[in-house]
Amino acid sequence: GCVLVVSVIEQLAQWHNSTVKAAMERLCNYIPGKYQIIRHMLCCIDREMNADVVCHSLKLCKQDPGQPLCHLYAPPKPCRLCELMHPSSFFFLPLQKSFTGFSSVCAFPLLDNLCEKIKYVMRNKLPFEDLDGDRFSTFPTLRGYHWRGRDCNDKNSTVYPGRRPENWDAKSDSNCNGIWGVDPKDGIPYEEKFCKGADSQGVVLLGDSAGAHFHIPPEWMTVTQMSAKSFANLPVAFTDELDWPQFSEITGFLNSTIGGWTDSLYLRLRRRNRCNHRDLQNISQNGGSSGNLLSLIKSLARNQLLDNPAIVIYATIGNDVCNGNRDTLAHMTTPKEMLSNVLQALRYLDSRLPNGSHVILTGLVDGRFLWDNLHDRYHPLGQLNRDVTYSQLYSFLDCLQVSPCSGWLTPNETLRNLTSERALQLSSVLKDIARSEKFANFDIFYMDFPLRQTAEEWHKMGGEPWQLIEPVDGFHPSQIAAALGTSITWQKALHEWPQVLGKENPFNDQIEALFKDQGGH
């Protein structure tokens, strides 16, 4: 974090031909008020000190005994390093002591309360603001309606998205799909007229950071594009854990503001049957794997007796083989563990999902695509001076033992191949489960993660493979990849499992017309 912020300030000074102090003030003025923690942090950038040297000087970065010195930039010569580390290089050395007293970013004034909220959400994976306890919220972030359909009455726990309508919603909207009341022409409730027998169903994602749609905006660290507008979305990003589920491949429902376009399984199900409005749940977490999904799954909100069936996408596409450990292979999920974890999750779903639901198991990705298409390209931090490639970034993160995937983000081709081999073994486990296991309340299907088809489709559209990868972390699918993946998944389902998608509702146009007449949204 320190290396990132210091790098941006140094590049701002270079780009605007200003002093470092002026560049620091410029960045502080870009960032919304209570997030300006860097004012407490930066005190000693000057001369030719690169970000690594500054952060080690501040003791925000350290070298543990017996461990290598981790650096993003080429290290200065030893004699130069001693000169740069001398106290005369610093602006305000006393600030060093005050900063190192903070144990984490959450110790900063104004952020402690927000951090407590985020810790609650991270611990429980439930909406922070949920007055009636039905696991749905009227607040967007902190696991609110960006993650689950928006509640339409947060004071009544029997009103929430996805439930079967109470008395056909003649008097009020009990399932939040916007369809309620009685047609004065014939006295029939609109919900009964338009949605009875329409195969209404929700969509649920059980996934990882790819499913939650992890994204760090590149304009946060690309000084040639940076302005106050660049950080306008920082509060939303921070309180959504740097995830953007509202634009994601499975549960996206808002027009993308982070590039590309939004296309999702939820939007397509909604277009197919307008009665499915708001029936979505994105139960994903950064670092999600088949193992920790067993606790995450308990935040599912589905009542077997009162709610509509659901399509559940089980997609932990990488973290069972991805970790930041030096001996990464030893920490990967084994096929036996994968079988046990997934079967436990499916048994839990069978106890919670209404009859007539569907589960789609998604195979793991072949992450060799990442190194092959990014390693020699410049990272956003390195574009101004052409001094940081993705290969350097991956090595830096690996040295710190915080790499999102030591097995794939490495120059070691043998290790990359072994990681993909394990991923293929785990995908085979999922395929076998879909072929052999039966459950009372849902049928089960398998599909490969459609990376190859996505790349081919993007190539036909004139795109480059690297554009399918998030530019800042160099690891996750980009917004373009998410939208294209939706199209490919939908076509597969239409041709191979049409029963999963349900039939098209012939009353969709009438529902939209009714909505407009009532001033709906």
Side-chain angles (χ1 to χ4, degrees):
C2 176
V3 169
L4 166 64
V5 175
V6 173
S7 297
V8 168
I9 289 177
E10 290 180 336
Q11 291 183 28
L12 274 172
Q14 178 185 346
W15 180 248
H16 293 282
N17 194 25
S18 71
T19 64
V20 167
K21 184 178 180 181
M24 183 177 73
E25 289 300 320
R26 183 186 296 273
L27 181 59
C28 285
N29 290 333
Y30 287 164
I31 295 174
K34 68 179 181 180
Y35 296 87
Q36 292 184 10
I37 62 173
I38 61 171
R39 284 192 189 276
H40 299 268
M41 167 181 176
L42 296 164
C43 58
C44 60
I45 312 170
D46 201 3
R47 301 187 183 177
E48 300 171 29
M49 299 175 70
N50 69 33
D52 296 312
V53 175
V54 169
C55 293
H56 278 274
S57 302
L58 281 170
K59 294 184 170 36
L60 293 175
C61 296
K62 61 179 180 177
Q63 180 182 8
D64 290 332
Q67 298 295 326
L69 176 66
C70 300
H71 56 90
L72 182 62
Y73 298 90
K77 295 177 181 178
C79 60
R80 182 68 184 127
L81 180 61
C82 293
E83 180 186 342
L84 292 175
M85 295 284 284
H86 193 273
S88 63
S89 299
F90 302 149
F91 279 151
F92 307 112
L93 191 60
L95 282 180
Q96 181 178 331
K97 292 182 179 179
S98 66
F99 183 78
T100 54
F102 292 112
S103 59
S104 74
V105 72
C106 290
F108 283 102
L110 301 177
L111 286 187
D112 52 349
N113 184 44
L114 180 59
C115 280
E116 284 305 311
K117 293 183 180 180
I118 293 175
K119 286 177 183 176
Y120 170 87
V121 167
M122 296 280 284
R123 188 167 55 247
N124 299 284
K125 294 298 183 288
L126 292 171
F128 183 79
E129 297 198 14
D130 177 18
L131 300 179
D132 56 15
D134 59 9
R135 304 192 174 191
F136 294 89
S137 177
T138 58
F139 190 76
T141 63
L142 294 169
R143 291 276 165 169
Y145 68 76
H146 282 173
W147 300 81
R148 302 165 185 252
R150 183 172 182 171
D151 203 343
C152 53
N153 185 343
D154 207 20
K155 297 180 180 179
N156 187 339
S157 63
T158 66
V159 174
Y160 54 86
R163 67 158 294 166
R164 295 187 183 118
E166 184 178 6
N167 297 321
W168 293 113
D169 283 357
K171 294 185 178 180
S172 62
D173 189 5
S174 66
N175 58 13
C176 300
N177 68 358
I179 305 167
W180 64 281
V182 174
D183 189 338
K185 297 176 184 176
D186 52 25
I188 299 175
Y190 288 116
E191 180 94 39
E192 181 179 3
K193 179 177 288 190
F194 297 145
C195 300
K196 185 177 182 179
D199 293 340
S200 297
Q201 59 185 341
V203 59
V204 177
L205 173 66
L206 299 174
D208 51 22
S209 52
H213 204 33
F214 185 88
H215 167 80
I216 299 175
E219 58 269 24
W220 287 4
M221 57 190 69
T222 309
V223 298
T224 56
Q225 304 172 14
M226 195 175 291
S227 68
K229 291 182 180 178
S230 304
F231 294 93
N233 54 12
L234 192 149
V236 169
F238 190 43
T239 50
D240 265 338
E241 304 159 46
L242 291 178
D243 295 321
W244 308 76
Q246 68 272 32
F247 308 138
S248 65
E249 178 177 349
I250 303 300
T251 63
F253 62 94
L254 294 177
N255 292 330
S256 173
T257 60
I258 57 174
W261 65 98
T262 302
D263 189 6
S264 71
L265 181 59
Y266 163 74
L267 284 176
R268 291 189 177 227
L269 285 169
R270 185 187 181 281
R271 282 197 293 268
R272 193 172 181 83
N273 180 4
R274 178 57 184 72
C275 300
N276 293 330
H277 182 54
R278 290 192 185 178
D279 195 357
L280 63 98
Q281 295 182 56
N282 191 316
I283 302 177
S284 302
Q285 69 177 11
N286 300 335
S289 66
S290 66
N292 57 36
L293 208 61
L294 295 175
S295 59
L296 181 67
I297 198 173
K298 293 176 182 176
S299 66
L300 172 70
R302 214 68 179 178
N303 186 304
Q304 212 161 32
L305 300 177
L306 297 178
D307 298 348
N308 286 321
I311 301 174
V312 177
I313 310 295
Y314 184 103
T316 56
I317 66 170
N319 289 316
D320 283 284
V321 297
C322 284
N323 57 74
N325 295 291
R326 293 276 163 79
D327 53 342
T328 180
L329 292 170
H331 290 81
M332 293 180 184
T333 302
T334 65
K336 184 178 180 180
E337 290 168 337
M338 189 74 170
L339 177 64
S340 174
N341 291 340
V342 176
L343 287 179
Q344 286 183 67
L346 293 174
R347 291 184 193 115
Y348 182 85
L349 288 175
D350 204 31
S351 71
R352 292 293 186 275
L353 292 177
N355 190 263
S357 295
H358 312 280
V359 174
I360 300 174
L361 304 177
T362 304
L364 278 70
V365 69
D366 185 350
R368 289 176 292 192
F369 184 88
L370 303 169
W371 180 269
D372 292 347
N373 290 287
L374 280 186
H375 75 275
D376 56 354
R377 296 188 61 83
Y378 289 108
H379 185 267
L381 273 181
Q383 288 174 6
L384 181 64
N385 296 311
R386 302 175 72 84
D387 56 355
V388 179
T389 63
Y390 283 94
S391 177
Q392 289 171 257
L393 174 72
Y394 295 156
S395 295
F396 179 53
L397 296 177
D398 190 54
C399 179
L400 294 170
Q401 299 182 46
V402 294
S403 171
C405 196
S406 294
W408 276 325
L409 308 183
T410 173
N412 186 332
E413 183 179 7
T414 300
L415 183 54
R416 297 200 304 271
N417 290 338
L418 287 172
T419 304
S420 288
E421 184 180 315
R422 176 62 61 86
L424 188 60
Q425 292 170 357
L426 300 185
S427 294
S428 295
V429 170
L430 296 173
K431 196 179 298 185
D432 290 343
I433 290 173
R435 189 185 301 122
S436 61
E437 297 292 332
K438 304 295 180 187
F439 295 89
N441 290 307
F442 56 82
D443 47 16
I444 187 168
F445 306 89
Y446 170 85
M447 69 172 289
D448 289 320
F449 186 83
L451 179 59
R452 179 181 56 80
Q453 301 96 311
T454 300
E456 290 172 354
E457 189 64 29
W458 184 233
H459 180 70
K460 290 176 187 175
M461 296 169 67
E464 297 287 340
W466 58 267
Q467 294 169 313
L468 299 174
I469 308 169
E470 275 293 317
V472 172
D473 62 65
F475 180 64
H476 293 92
S478 69
Q479 183 68 33
I480 294 169
L484 290 174
T486 296
S487 177
I488 293 165
T489 301
W490 184 263
Q491 291 305 316
K492 180 179 177 65
L494 276 178
H495 289 104
E496 298 184 21
W497 327 309
Q499 72 274 27
V500 171
L501 304 179
K503 58 193 176 187
E504 194 150 358
N505 192 329
F507 299 110
N508 282 336
D509 291 341
Q510 290 175 255
I511 295 172
E512 291 296 345
L514 171 69
F515 228 49
K516 290 178 181 177
D517 288 344
Q518 293 181 341
H521 52 85

